[in-house]
Amino acid sequence: MSRSRQPPLVTGISPNEGIPWTKVTIRGENLGTGPTDLIGLTICGHNCLLTAEWMSASKIVCRVGQAKNDKGDIIVTTKSGGKGTSTVSFKLLKPEKIGILDQSAVWVDEINYYDMRTDRNKGISPLSLRPANPLGIEIEKCKFPQKDLEMLFPGMSADFTSENFSAAWYLIENHSTTSFEQLKMAVTHLKRQANKKSEGSLAYVKGGLSTFFEAQDALSAIHQKLEADGTEKVEGSMTQKLENVLNRASNTADTLFQEVLGRKDKADSTRNALNVLQRFKFLFNLPLNIERNIQKGDYDVVINDYEKAKSLFGKTEVRVFKKYYAEVETRIEALRELLLDKLLETPSTLHDQKRYIRYLSDLHSPGDPAWQCIGAQHRWILQLMHSCKEGYVQDLKDIPGLHNTMLDVDNDVRPLVLGHLSQTASLKRGSSFQSGRDDTWRYKTPHRVAFVEKLTKLVLSQLPNFWKLWISYVNGSLFSETAEKSSQIERSKNVRQRQNDFKKMIQEVMHCLVKLIRGALLPLSIPEGGVRQYGGWEVKSELSGQWLTHVIQTIRLTYESLTALEIPSDMLQTIQDLILDLRVHCVVVTLQHTAEEIKRLAEKEDWIVDNEGLTSLPCQFEQCIIHSLQSLKGVLDCKPGEASVFQQPKTQEEVCQLSISIMQIFIYCLEQLSSKPDADVDTTHLSVDVSSPDLFGSIHEDFNLTSVSMASLKELDQRLFENYIEMKADPIVGSLEPGIYAGYFDWKDCLPPTGVRNYLKEALVNIIAVHAEVFTISKELVPRVLSKVVEAVSEELSRLMQCVSSFSKNGALQARLEICALRDTVAVHLTPESKSSFKQALEALPQLSSGADKKLLEELLNKFKSSMHLQLTCFQAASSTMMKT
């Protein structure tokens, strides 16, 4: 528990030295707020709290006790400030021995001063017990330091009654300046005192013998005179004569003053009656005064008067007093009933409740009014909560006039209520706030969200006072401090018996709060028997993830506010369970809405390519996913005491399936966009429930989200790639055979080669066109595409060469020229497959037999590369780039 005051600080003590039991005054700062706040006071290590008297926050008076330390600090400890410090110290002096007849300001411990070394049977005069001045001469105290004397006489003492008595120490301490003659006189005095003690009790008897005889004679004479007068019965005795004289005087007085005395007795009776009326007018006027004070509301005055009358006349036997006291009791009973009705009336403030309970306690009301008030408040809170739900349900059905006035705790239930919740400010029950703003916000905030905010706000406005009322009931602060002990004992028993009952009340309020929220947001989690009581919301659409996040934040703040009241966590466990279920539901709903948004991304594709060759679709997908994850960040974060959303395997599986569904939908959108014209893109059939686990039943259970998504993307990528290669390579491959045999070309009968023919140049130009098209979109994709195109062209060229039955010398040279020209041009994009195809094509040709043919082949290849240098630059750039890479 945090302290609200600074620690105590002792800045002065007066006096600052003294013997044990010296009265001191301590001064300082923050020395406590009252006597009950002072819980510790030590001086030189000794606890002085028992003698402490708190005067003010800057002054304490106490007595110094026995302590081991000669010098030490003054430490003050209070409830409000804790253990303090000291800037001054106190020096404890050794006390001087005090004689029996010496005056002392403090109590001296009783010490047996009898000389135990003398005979016990000897009589000792009380005046001889440890005289203050045994030498009988004037004592002159020396100024020798006590510590020096102790060092000079180790183990000895100046106390002459001690077994370790040192005469030298005593003389130095008390007679250091006494003359020798005076010391001689002291010796004579000691001898005389010793002689007196040796005489014993017989000496005391001899000294007072005459006094004893005189007292004995006087007592004997008195006894004889009384005995003689009391036993003589004859007429004429002294006592008889005195009695007769007194009787005659009494009779004569009665005769003379009988009438006067009669009138006097009557006047005395009248006077006594008036005195009684005047003296006890408090009781006679009390019934009327009680009625008047009740009408004015001065209940304190009534209770004080009643207590006074009860103490004076509660057990009276006088009839008139009994009659008037009965009237007082009748009116007090009516007051008890009035106060009890006011106590159970709702709504009421905590201050009024405590006041009425204290009044009833002072009036000794039967039963337990405080517990009756707690029960009434419990029923009132439950009624408010159910009425709040009914009001919003009817409002949703557009049935006006159903809002109960007691629900108007605060009409403003917009999301700004979170600020109120964080401050846990209490609302005055039964108050009404009329907002001057319009109600357009009602159409922006869903009814169920507004209901949850209103319900939690209502609970936070009522439950703190309810909890504080119980705490006051437990610690007894509701009742009067002057209550009888029997009542306090009975109340303590009631508290112990009713702790479980109050715990059930709190749990019932928490269960009602949770069930009402579940009925609005998670109706499937409500048992069938409680749907009518806690449900009834006729809504068709599900709340969005943003509103669910807002609701979770509201309930979290409610939980924090209730925890701040120090309500045990086991009573709030149902709220934690509700928060966990709402977090799981929010994650599922958010992912479902994300899937719906991604499904519509295909309709937003504008096919505008950026510098990296990308359209807006991937960016939109990424933004959609990031927005979804950001909205779930606060939901997934675990507050103190909360469990992880993914602790249940069922939740993990459901979230995993939804995540896979999102990726599959995006992949399907990509496939649709890549294979169909814009007008033909159709995603309406994807409106199937993406949360269904059977949607992608073919996915193996052991696959994680990354492997499934990557496999699907790779499959789509491969499918699109193959389609593109087929679309681009087939026209090139198809033009090779017609180009080779154009003009009835024959490999067996042809002219000597003069260069690469046009069909091959055309094929290269088409490959260059594919290169340019792919390079425009993504230069990283060029090697992948061209390598496949080259594979297709080389495979077809190899097939055509292998189909030729025979070659002439010129035909073989021409074929080798064209194959080598194509191979060298696209060498940077050759793969093992394409290299194998080119090798097979060359193997199908006859080998060059002469050096002239080889030289001619080399010249023609150089001529081709020189003439096609500009066109072949793209392959060279790709080659240099790959070399650098």
Side-chain angles (χ1 to χ4, degrees):
M1 178 178 69
S2 62
R3 302 187 178 94
S4 57
R5 297 178 61 88
Q6 295 293 327
L9 176 63
V10 176
T11 58
I13 183 170
S14 177
N16 59 2
E17 63 179 12
I19 63 174
W21 307 113
T22 300
K23 187 175 183 180
V24 297
T25 301
I26 300 171
R27 299 187 182 275
E29 301 173 359
N30 303 318
L31 301 184
T33 59
T36 58
D37 193 36
L38 182 64
I39 61 175
L41 175 59
T42 59
I43 300 178
C44 297
H46 184 268
N47 187 1
C48 303
L49 183 63
L50 189 62
T51 62
E53 182 180 3
W54 186 90
M55 309 299 291
S56 67
S58 59
K59 180 180 179 182
I60 297 175
V61 177
C62 72
R63 290 189 179 274
V64 181
Q66 295 284 355
K68 296 181 180 179
N69 301 327
D70 294 339
K71 190 173 184 180
D73 295 334
I74 303 94
I75 303 300
V76 178
T77 306
T78 63
K79 293 181 182 178
S80 60
K83 187 174 181 181
T85 56
S86 173
T87 60
V88 295
S89 60
F90 182 85
K91 183 178 180 182
L92 190 66
L93 304 177
K94 288 193 175 182
E96 297 179 358
K97 297 294 183 179
I98 300 176
I100 295 177
L101 301 180
D102 291 344
Q103 293 183 351
S104 175
V106 297
W107 178 262
V108 180
D109 291 339
E110 295 182 359
I111 303 176
N112 186 7
Y113 291 109
Y114 290 96
D115 189 355
M116 303 304 295
R117 294 168 292 178
T118 60
D119 189 358
R120 293 173 181 267
N121 297 325
K122 293 182 179 180
I124 302 175
S125 173
L127 296 178
S128 67
L129 296 178
R130 196 190 178 211
N133 188 3
L135 297 181
I137 60 178
E138 184 180 357
I139 295 177
E140 298 177 0
K141 292 286 184 178
C142 72
K143 297 182 181 180
F144 285 97
Q146 190 74 14
K147 292 184 178 180
D148 294 345
L149 292 174
E150 291 177 357
M151 295 177 61
L152 188 61
F153 303 97
M156 307 301 289
S157 173
D159 183 5
F160 55 85
T161 62
S162 174
E163 294 182 358
N164 300 324
F165 172 68
S166 174
W169 187 346
Y170 179 82
L171 292 175
I172 293 174
E173 187 176 57
N174 297 285
H175 300 284
S176 59
T177 59
T178 304
S179 64
F180 184 72
E181 295 297 329
Q182 288 179 325
L183 291 177
K184 285 184 177 181
M185 295 173 59
V187 171
T188 305
H189 177 75
L190 284 175
K191 291 180 179 180
R192 187 166 53 251
Q193 293 295 330
N195 292 333
K196 286 183 180 180
K197 290 183 179 180
S198 64
E199 295 177 359
S201 58
L202 182 62
Y204 294 107
V205 174
K206 291 179 179 180
L209 188 60
S210 59
T211 304
F212 293 154
F213 287 158
E214 291 176 1
Q216 178 65 25
D217 292 342
L219 290 174
S220 298
I222 294 172
H223 177 71
Q224 292 175 2
K225 183 65 175 175
L226 291 175
E227 189 178 44
D229 188 52
T231 57
E232 187 176 353
K233 303 297 182 182
V234 297
E235 185 70 25
S237 65
M238 182 180 66
T239 56
Q240 185 68 40
K241 291 179 182 179
L242 181 59
E243 182 180 1
N244 293 335
V245 171
L246 291 175
N247 287 335
R248 288 196 301 270
S250 177
N251 293 332
T252 304
D254 290 341
T255 302
L256 294 174
F257 297 101
Q258 184 173 6
E259 183 179 358
V260 176
L261 292 175
R263 290 197 302 270
K264 180 180 179 300
D265 290 340
K266 185 176 181 180
D268 290 342
S269 299
T270 304
R271 189 180 300 105
N272 289 337
L274 293 175
N275 288 336
V276 167
L277 290 176
Q278 180 65 25
R279 181 178 178 183
F280 300 102
K281 65 179 180 180
F282 165 73
L283 176 63
F284 300 139
N285 295 333
L286 187 56
L288 181 60
N289 290 336
I290 288 176
E291 290 185 357
R292 291 176 178 174
N293 289 325
I294 289 176
Q295 293 177 357
K296 293 189 295 182
D298 294 337
Y299 303 121
D300 291 316
V301 177
V302 174
I303 294 173
N304 291 334
D305 291 346
Y306 172 66
E307 289 293 337
K308 181 179 179 181
K310 184 178 180 180
S311 62
L312 294 175
F313 308 102
K315 298 180 180 180
T316 184
E317 297 296 333
V318 182
R319 285 192 305 169
V320 63
F321 290 168
K322 282 186 175 181
K323 179 180 178 181
Y324 276 89
Y325 186 74
E327 288 291 329
V328 171
E329 286 289 355
T330 301
R331 286 162 173 76
I332 291 298
E333 184 61 31
L335 176 61
R336 291 192 186 103
E337 296 177 358
L338 174 64
L339 293 175
L340 184 60
D341 292 340
K342 288 181 174 291
L343 176 63
L344 302 181
E345 180 182 350
T346 52
S348 60
T349 62
L350 179 63
H351 173 73
D352 290 340
Q353 291 171 351
K354 290 183 176 181
R355 190 160 56 95
Y356 294 141
I357 291 173
R358 191 171 291 109
Y359 290 156
L360 290 170
S361 174
D362 292 339
L363 292 174
H364 310 288
S365 178
D368 194 347
W371 181 252
Q372 292 177 329
C373 177
I374 291 175
Q377 286 301 116
H378 171 248
R379 294 188 293 271
W380 166 252
I381 294 175
L382 294 178
Q383 181 184 357
L384 280 178
M385 296 168 69
H386 285 287
S387 299
C388 180
K389 190 267 293 186
E390 294 297 332
Y392 272 92
V393 169
Q394 294 297 333
D395 190 26
L396 187 62
K397 295 178 181 179
D398 293 328
I399 300 179
L402 208 71
H403 272 296
N404 197 321
T405 55
M406 68 179 177
L407 293 178
D408 294 331
V409 179
D410 192 335
N411 289 336
D412 192 357
V413 294
R414 292 176 294 173
L416 291 177
V417 72
L418 290 178
H420 172 83
L421 291 175
S422 62
Q423 299 173 2
T424 64
S426 299
L427 299 175
K428 184 177 180 181
R429 284 166 285 185
S431 64
S432 178
F433 175 74
Q434 301 295 335
S435 175
R437 295 183 290 268
D438 57 17
D439 291 340
T440 56
W441 58 269
R442 290 183 180 272
Y443 302 101
K444 298 178 182 179
T445 304
H447 270 74
R448 288 177 292 171
V449 177
F451 161 70
V452 172
E453 292 178 344
K454 183 68 169 289
L455 182 66
T456 54
K457 192 174 183 181
L458 187 149
V459 170
L460 288 180
S461 67
Q462 305 295 326
L463 199 61
N465 289 340
F466 182 61
W467 179 259
K468 292 175 183 177
L469 183 64
W470 164 254
I471 296 299
S472 301
Y473 179 78
V474 171
N475 59 31
S477 61
L478 287 176
F479 310 99
S480 173
E481 297 180 356
T482 60
E484 298 179 357
K485 290 186 177 180
S486 59
S487 301
Q488 296 178 358
I489 296 174
E490 183 67 23
R491 188 164 58 248
S492 300
K493 294 180 179 178
N494 292 338
V495 169
R496 290 193 295 269
Q497 294 173 357
R498 286 166 176 163
Q499 282 182 348
N500 290 333
D501 295 336
F502 182 78
K503 183 177 180 180
K504 292 179 180 178
M505 289 182 180
I506 292 291
Q507 289 177 340
E508 186 177 358
V509 173
M510 295 297 102
H511 283 297
C512 182
L513 171 66
V514 169
K515 289 181 179 179
L516 288 173
I517 296 177
R518 286 184 180 274
L521 303 178
L522 302 172
L524 297 180
S525 63
I526 296 292
E528 294 183 1
V531 172
R532 183 174 181 181
Q533 183 179 5
Y534 300 103
W537 295 86
E538 297 180 359
V539 291
K540 298 179 181 180
S541 60
E542 183 64 63
L543 288 177
S544 64
Q546 289 84 351
W547 283 115
L548 287 174
T549 302
H550 173 71
V551 169
I552 292 171
Q553 179 69 4
T554 301
I555 300 177
R556 277 175 167 173
L557 290 174
T558 302
Y559 178 82
E560 293 176 3
S561 301
L562 295 177
T563 305
L565 295 176
E566 298 182 356
I567 298 178
S569 57
D570 58 335
M571 297 185 184
L572 304 177
Q573 184 58 40
T574 54
I575 299 182
Q576 283 285 23
D577 297 339
L578 171 64
I579 293 174
L580 178 60
D581 292 346
L582 285 175
R583 290 166 64 202
V584 172
H585 183 62
C586 179
V587 171
V588 172
V589 170
T590 301
L591 293 179
Q592 289 176 350
H593 289 179
T594 302
E596 292 293 330
E597 292 179 9
I598 292 175
K599 182 186 68 176
R600 294 188 291 268
L601 289 181
E603 303 172 2
K604 302 178 182 179
E605 179 58 77
D606 52 8
W607 295 108
I608 299 176
V609 181
D610 59 9
N611 295 332
E612 297 181 358
L614 300 177
T615 64
S616 62
L617 183 65
C619 182
Q620 291 179 6
F621 172 75
E622 181 182 7
Q623 291 177 354
C624 186
I625 296 297
I626 292 175
H627 177 73
S628 176
L629 295 177
Q630 288 177 346
S631 65
L632 291 176
K633 184 179 184 303
V635 176
L636 295 176
D637 289 342
C638 294
K639 299 295 183 180
E642 293 183 355
S644 173
V645 173
F646 303 108
Q647 68 174 357
Q648 296 295 334
K650 182 180 178 181
T651 304
Q652 296 179 15
E653 182 180 357
E654 187 175 6
V655 172
C656 182
Q657 291 291 348
L658 286 171
S659 302
I660 294 174
S661 302
I662 290 173
M663 294 303 302
Q664 292 289 353
I665 290 174
F666 178 65
I667 292 171
Y668 184 82
C669 291
L670 292 176
E671 186 173 4
Q672 292 292 308
L673 289 171
S674 62
S675 60
K676 292 184 179 180
D678 295 348
D680 295 336
V681 175
D682 181 17
T683 59
T684 56
H685 67 285
L686 292 177
S687 60
V688 65
D689 184 8
V690 294
S691 64
S692 174
D694 298 330
L695 182 62
F696 303 103
S698 60
I699 299 176
H700 196 273
E701 293 181 357
D702 295 337
F703 278 12
N704 56 32
L705 177 61
T706 304
S707 63
V708 173
S709 302
M710 292 303 297
S712 300
L713 287 173
K714 288 180 179 179
E715 181 182 355
L716 174 62
D717 176 78
Q718 187 62 29
R719 191 163 55 249
L720 294 177
F721 180 73
E722 290 175 356
N723 293 337
Y724 182 76
I725 294 300
E726 182 180 356
M727 180 177 63
K728 296 299 180 180
D730 283 356
I732 300 174
V733 171
S735 65
L736 289 180
E737 187 173 1
I740 290 176
Y741 298 104
Y744 302 99
F745 180 81
D746 188 1
W747 296 106
K748 299 178 182 179
D749 183 15
C750 61
L751 297 175
T754 60
V756 176
R757 290 185 292 170
N758 291 333
Y759 83 91
L760 188 59
K761 295 179 179 179
E762 182 180 354
L764 285 174
V765 170
N766 290 331
I767 293 174
I768 293 172
V770 174
H771 179 283
E773 182 177 272
V774 176
F775 187 86
T776 304
I777 301 300
S778 175
K779 62 181 180 180
E780 289 80 6
L781 195 60
V782 170
R784 182 184 176 191
V785 173
L786 289 189
S787 62
K788 290 297 181 182
V789 174
V790 171
E791 283 183 7
V793 173
S794 62
E795 182 181 357
E796 178 64 15
L797 189 58
S798 175
R799 184 189 67 83
L800 291 176
M801 293 298 104
Q802 292 176 4
C803 291
V804 178
S805 58
S806 62
F807 292 88
S808 64
K809 178 182 178 181
N810 293 334
L813 187 58
Q814 183 69 43
R816 188 175 294 275
L817 171 63
E818 292 172 354
I819 293 173
C820 291
L822 178 60
R823 182 193 63 183
D824 295 345
T825 302
V826 297
V828 71
H829 297 296
L830 291 180
T831 62
E833 289 79 6
S834 57
K835 289 180 180 180
S836 177
S837 297
F838 280 116
K839 182 178 180 182
Q840 292 175 3
L842 292 174
E843 290 177 351
L845 302 178
Q847 296 296 325
L848 297 178
S849 58
S850 63
D853 292 340
K854 295 180 180 179
K855 184 177 181 181
L856 177 60
L857 177 62
E858 184 178 356
E859 292 177 355
L860 292 176
L861 282 174
N862 293 332
K863 178 182 178 183
F864 165 74
K865 293 178 182 180
S866 176
S867 63
M868 295 285 291
H869 174 74
L870 182 60
Q871 289 80 0
L872 302 181
T873 304
C874 60
F875 299 113
Q876 296 174 1
S879 177
S880 61
T881 303
M882 293 187 67
M883 290 294 291
K884 293 178 181 179
T885 305

